[in-house]
Amino acid sequence: MKRSILDIVYGLGLLGIAGFFYWTTIGLVRPGTSFADDAYWYPRLVLALMAILSIVLIARAVFAATGEIVQGPRWGALFTAMAIVGGYVVLFTWAGFVISTVIFFPVFAYGVGYRRILHLAIASPLVTAVTWYAFYYGLGMTPPGPGLPLLP
C-alpha cells in the first residue's frame, strides 16, 4: 500500500475517533465554565488537538508529491509498546503520577528504539514536572500520588 493512502486512512480513522469521543463528552462540561475552572475541558482540548493533527496528516498525504510503498507494522515493536503502556497503568495505580511517568518516559522511548540515554535522562523529569505543574497551577488539581514541591 502506498504511504499517502495509508496516511489518509489513518487520518480519517483518528479523526473519526476524536470526533466520536468529543461528541460523547458534550454534556460533561458545565455551562459557563472555562478551561481552568472545569477539568472536563482538558480531554476535549486533547481531542481537538487530535482532530487538528489528523487533518494535517490527511492534507499532507493528499498534497504529497509521491507515495512510496511502505511495509506493514512491526508487530514486535507494537507489542513491546503496548506492554510498556500496560506496565505504566499498573505502576500508576501503585506509585502515582510522578514516579510512574519518570520511569515510563525513558523505558517507552528505549523500548521503541530511541537510544539517546542523555536526552531521555533530561527530558523525562522535565516533561513530568511541566505536566504536573500544568495540572496543579493550570487546572487547579493534583495528579495522583506523591507530588512535587510547590513553586513560590
Side-chain angles (χ1 to χ4, degrees):
M1 182 178 287
K2 291 193 175 212
R3 179 181 213 65
S4 59
I5 293 171
L6 196 59
D7 286 347
I8 291 171
V9 170
Y10 285 157
L12 289 173
L14 290 173
L15 187 61
I17 291 169
F20 172 76
F21 284 116
Y22 193 87
W23 176 71
T24 59
T25 61
I26 287 175
L28 298 177
V29 176
R30 291 177 291 170
T33 59
S34 68
F35 179 75
D37 297 334
D38 192 352
Y40 282 113
W41 279 99
Y42 180 71
R44 296 185 76 198
L45 178 68
V46 172
L47 290 169
L49 179 62
M50 183 176 163
I52 291 168
L53 293 176
S54 299
I55 292 168
V56 168
L57 180 65
I58 293 167
R60 195 178 82 181
V62 167
F63 297 114
T66 62
E68 71 268 12
I69 304 228
V70 295
Q71 295 176 340
R74 296 182 347 216
W75 294 108
L78 180 62
F79 176 77
T80 300
M82 295 310 294
I84 293 170
V85 169
Y88 174 70
V89 170
V90 170
L91 184 61
F92 187 89
T93 59
W94 291 338
F97 174 79
V98 174
I99 295 169
S100 60
T101 305
V102 166
I103 294 169
F104 168 76
F105 195 81
V107 169
F108 184 82
Y110 194 82
V112 296
Y114 191 81
R115 299 289 189 252
R116 295 187 175 185
I117 304 297
L118 181 60
H119 291 172
L120 295 173
I122 294 169
S124 179
L126 184 65
V127 167
T128 302
V130 167
T131 305
W132 193 89
Y133 286 122
F135 268 89
Y136 186 80
Y137 290 109
L139 298 173
M141 57 191 320
T142 306
L148 296 176
L150 300 180
L151 300 175

